[in-house]
Amino acid sequence: MTTLKQIVLGSAAVLSLAFSVTSCKKSYSVDGPETSPYVSSVYAVNSNRSVLALDPATGAKRWETKVGSDVYATPVVISRKLYVVDITGKIYRIDPKNGKIEASSSLGGAVYGTPLSYDRKLIIPVGNTVKMIDPTGNFTTVWSYTATDQVRTSPALNVSKTDTNKKVVFFAAGTKVYALQADNGAQMWQTSVSGAGNFASSVSAANRNYLYVGNDNGSLYALNSNDGSTYWSYPTGSAIKSSPISVGGNIIVGSDDRNLYSVDSATGLLRWKYTASDRIASSPFVYNQNVYFGSNDYNLYAINIIDGTLKWKFLTFSVISSSPFAYNNTLYFNSFDKNVYALNSEDGSQKWSYNTNATMNASMILDTISGSVVPSISGNYPY
């Protein structure tokens, strides 16, 4: 965009010259380079230590930036800055317009779960702690809470069951589920679920009353968000690595037994299940009455949320364990075949693909001018 610079000069003769110049319709640039407009981008990270920004409409690469190590956590955008945390626990603040790393800092432990954005700060699982980090300046730690085991899941956020003004952070680690006050990290409760093994599934903080989380023992649990007590459990046939989502009374989750389940949120009774050809570690995403998820059988599936029937599936060249998301009738996801894909969300036809030249362990996000669209594996998923 051309900017008209007004030149104030001190004599009539020079003013006359200025008029003759501008009447020739020439323009002059500002003293510094113009600021690039903020545009929508899909952000992906791969095992080649790359952070990539792709055009969501075409898949064209806008920029690529190297970080120190592989990334398992989904990137996060706050106040038009991109934040990426690698597996060693180093956090990077990146300018989303050009990919320049503005600052970085070590958080002191391994990071697998996706940071949660709250009050313009980041709540991050680091080793066996959960920390609130102020992402501005030098990444100051606001508070830190130490769990019994390493935290490999993503934290989730909702209001307190008894006080809507109080925000609560929920997360799972080892065999326990925790609730912390979001403002100061104080523990509200922790619980060891009877009969449960380790939790690799992230907690879905669906509403003020219920939490939902899958377990390595194959059970999907509904917990009381006020004290962690168990409302009900539903047994699947194998470990649950997928993170559940809650949509319209349905709790939807994948299992290593090859099934995607829809369970009634209040009673824990099965509504429907769909069987894929291999394990389902991918966390589902709902858009326009369709449930989208990936499988180790190389397929991305679209399932009718009402009855669990197949609408379409799309075959890639490797397993899909990351989580998809949809926006503006386009479905975005990545596969272990090193490709990022964009499909028509209604019929599964391919719009574009982009090869990142390395495998991708983390899910992606789409950042738009009006906000971010995130997958359900992250702690920011709206359901």
Side-chain angles (χ1 to χ4, degrees):
M1 179 177 69
T2 302
T3 301
L4 177 62
K5 181 179 180 181
Q6 293 182 331
I7 305 174
V8 179
L9 301 171
S11 71
V14 179
L15 281 171
S16 176
L17 175 60
F19 174 78
S20 67
V21 170
T22 56
S23 67
C24 294
K25 298 185 179 179
K26 292 183 180 179
S27 59
Y28 292 85
S29 63
V30 293
D31 293 336
E34 292 185 345
T35 303
S36 301
Y38 195 84
V39 295
S40 298
S41 291
V42 172
Y43 297 113
V45 290
N46 68 18
S47 58
N48 197 30
R49 303 181 294 109
S50 291
V51 182
L52 302 102
L54 307 178
D55 185 324
T58 66
K61 183 174 73 174
R62 292 204 166 110
W63 52 256
E64 181 175 353
T65 296
K66 294 290 186 180
V67 293
S69 190
D70 192 6
V71 179
Y72 280 69
T74 303
V76 179
V77 175
I78 300 178
S79 300
R80 295 194 171 180
K81 296 295 180 181
L82 177 66
Y83 294 92
V84 173
V85 189
D86 70 24
I87 195 173
T88 69
K90 192 169 185 178
I91 185 171
Y92 305 84
R93 183 168 63 244
I94 299 173
D95 186 336
K97 295 190 292 293
N98 54 31
K100 179 182 178 182
I101 295 176
E102 297 181 340
S104 64
S105 181
S106 177
L107 299 177
V111 174
Y112 293 91
T114 294
L116 173 70
S117 172
Y118 168 64
D119 194 27
R120 298 185 183 276
K121 296 179 178 63
L122 292 170
I123 299 172
I124 309 175
V126 183
N128 67 334
T129 67
V130 174
K131 298 181 178 183
M132 175 182 275
I133 303 295
D134 185 343
T136 60
N138 297 319
F139 300 103
T140 304
T141 299
V142 179
W143 57 255
S144 180
Y145 174 87
T146 301
T148 306
D149 300 277
Q150 186 180 44
V151 188
R152 299 176 68 95
T153 63
S154 302
L157 184 75
N158 212 316
V159 297
S160 167
K161 184 176 181 179
T162 57
D163 183 359
T164 57
N165 294 316
K166 183 183 294 184
K167 299 288 187 178
V168 184
V169 176
F170 303 97
F171 69 94
T175 61
K176 296 180 180 179
V177 178
Y178 298 80
L180 311 178
Q181 293 184 36
D183 290 329
N184 57 26
Q187 178 183 297
M188 298 180 67
W189 54 260
Q190 63 170 286
T191 186
S192 295
V193 181
S194 178
N198 287 320
F199 289 97
S201 169
S202 297
V203 174
S204 171
N207 53 54
R208 291 178 58 193
N209 299 306
Y210 286 85
L211 306 175
Y212 301 97
V213 62
N215 191 262
D216 279 356
N217 69 2
S219 291
L220 171 67
Y221 290 96
L223 306 180
N224 185 325
S225 63
N226 193 50
D227 57 15
S229 59
T230 301
Y231 283 124
W232 54 256
S233 65
Y234 179 86
T236 72
S238 190
I240 299 176
K241 304 291 194 300
S242 170
S243 298
I245 61 172
S246 174
V247 184
N250 300 275
I251 308 303
I252 304 172
V253 70
S255 171
D256 279 1
D257 69 1
R258 303 180 296 130
N259 289 302
L260 183 79
Y261 292 88
S262 177
V263 178
D264 183 85
S265 61
T267 65
L269 298 176
L270 180 67
R271 290 188 170 184
W272 53 257
K273 67 178 180 179
Y274 178 86
T275 304
S277 300
D278 208 330
R279 293 176 293 169
I280 303 171
S282 171
S283 300
F285 190 96
V286 171
Y287 179 77
N288 284 349
Q289 297 299 301
N290 296 325
V291 184
Y292 302 97
F293 67 95
S295 170
N296 281 23
D297 66 11
Y298 299 9
N299 283 290
L300 193 290
Y301 290 87
I303 305 296
N304 187 309
I305 194 173
I306 303 301
D307 57 12
T309 56
L310 177 68
K311 293 196 68 174
W312 54 261
K313 61 182 179 179
F314 180 89
L315 181 65
T316 69
F317 298 96
S318 190
V319 301
I320 305 171
S321 57
S322 60
S323 304
F325 62 85
Y327 177 77
N328 198 23
N329 297 319
T330 302
L331 181 74
Y332 300 92
F333 68 98
N334 58 52
S335 168
F336 233 62
D337 65 9
K338 306 179 183 179
N339 288 307
V340 174
Y341 292 92
L343 311 181
N344 182 301
S345 60
E346 284 304 306
D347 61 21
S349 58
Q350 181 173 312
K351 293 187 174 184
W352 56 259
S353 67
Y354 179 85
N355 191 312
T356 70
N357 296 313
T359 56
M360 288 167 279
N361 292 300
S363 303
M364 307 179 299
I365 66 166
L366 168 65
D367 188 49
T368 72
I369 294 174
S370 58
S372 297
V373 183
V374 298
S376 54
I377 191 63
S378 84
N380 304 306
Y381 190 58
Y383 298 112

